[in-house]
Amino acid sequence: MTDLKLEGFEDLEKELRKLGDDAEKVLRAGTRAGVARVKKEAQANLEPHVDTGELSRSLKVNTRINRARRSVTATVRNTRETFYGIFLEFGTFKQSPVRWLTRALRDNADDIFRDTANRMRQRIAKIKAKKR
Amino acid sequence: MLFDEIETVLIADPSVSALVASNQIYLGGAIKAPSFPCVQLRSTGGAVDTVLDEEGESGLRNKIYQFDCYASLESSADNLAVACRQALAGTHASFSALGLSEPVLLYEEEHHAHRASFEMSFWFE
């Protein structure tokens, strides 16, 4: 598993505090947008290695809110049927590692941050407009 | 060459040399007639951040290696990975190394060997 922790969103944090319960929706939408970018880049990394395309199609984005820890987690994962994704990721004794998922995260950190922040700003603006 | 320096650091480290023989550290593709424990380094990324001027090329280069530490027991593979990581992260060599991920434990069916894999980033001139 590779993690990317989002920090440095002070302006957004202030806005979120004003939103109350709606903050959860904004956080979920933002992290989902960031991880959707990871999924897209992972699919692009898989392209040169595509056989049936099943692994690429099996990638799904999920978000989970942990209220006790006040955190939102978004993940991109493949299915059990496409278990072989791990062999491509880490390689095998004979096969070189592709790191299709790690690179999707590592090489696109700026875009992931931007997509996350943009979506959060969009959602904040939408919620504010509704409240007026 | 970077690999030679990495190999030198690993061999010189008492924690690593206690777990793997000095001739069991490899760079690149499939190892012919493997015996365990062993360490395999494979390139998984990197960048060039150099400047070319009248005095030649200067600046830092970056290379990312995946370290695959093999052993017959899972705990031995994991211990070897931890020892390699610590040896490289704390070294005063011509490169600086940064661990990018914790070791992931895997199993190589064909060779009945356990594997602990992790990535390290190396910066060097």
Side-chain angles (χ1 to χ4, degrees), chain A residues 77-90:
Chain A
R77 61 175 66 220
N78 56 325
T79 56
R80 281 186 184 182
E81 290 72 31
T82 56
F83 63 91
Y84 51 84
I86 198 167
F87 303 133
L88 266 179
E89 175 72 7
F90 295 104

Side-chain angles (χ1 to χ4, degrees), chain B:
Chain B
M1 196 181 144
L2 180 62
F3 171 72
D4 295 332
E5 292 193 46
I6 293 171
E7 190 182 25
T8 304
V9 170
L10 291 177
I11 292 167
D13 187 88
S15 306
V16 176
S17 57
L19 298 171
V20 67
S22 59
N23 61 349
Q24 288 287 84
I25 300 170
Y26 303 94
L27 173 69
I31 305 161
K32 287 171 193 164
S35 65
F36 305 106
C38 69
V39 179
Q40 184 182 28
L41 274 73
R42 294 185 286 192
S43 175
T44 53
V48 179
D49 194 14
T50 56
V51 175
L52 186 64
D53 59 21
E54 290 139 7
E55 289 171 13
E57 203 177 4
S58 62
L60 287 175
R61 289 165 194 273
N62 172 244
K63 205 152 181 62
I64 298 171
Y65 281 117
Q66 176 172 303
F67 285 69
D68 299 311
C69 301
Y70 294 93
S72 49
L73 294 175
E74 188 182 83
S75 57
S76 307
D78 194 30
N79 289 341
L80 180 55
V82 170
C84 289
R85 240 175 94 98
Q86 285 177 349
L88 291 163
T91 191
H92 296 285
S94 64
F95 58 79
S96 64
L98 176 73
L100 295 179
S101 59
E102 294 298 316
V104 174
L105 300 173
L106 300 159
Y107 184 69
E108 287 287 335
E109 195 82 46
E110 192 183 338
H111 297 283
H112 306 292
H114 290 272
R115 166 156 75 118
S117 298
F118 65 95
E119 278 190 313
M120 278 197 108
S121 177
F122 294 88
W123 288 95
F124 57 102
E125 277 190 89

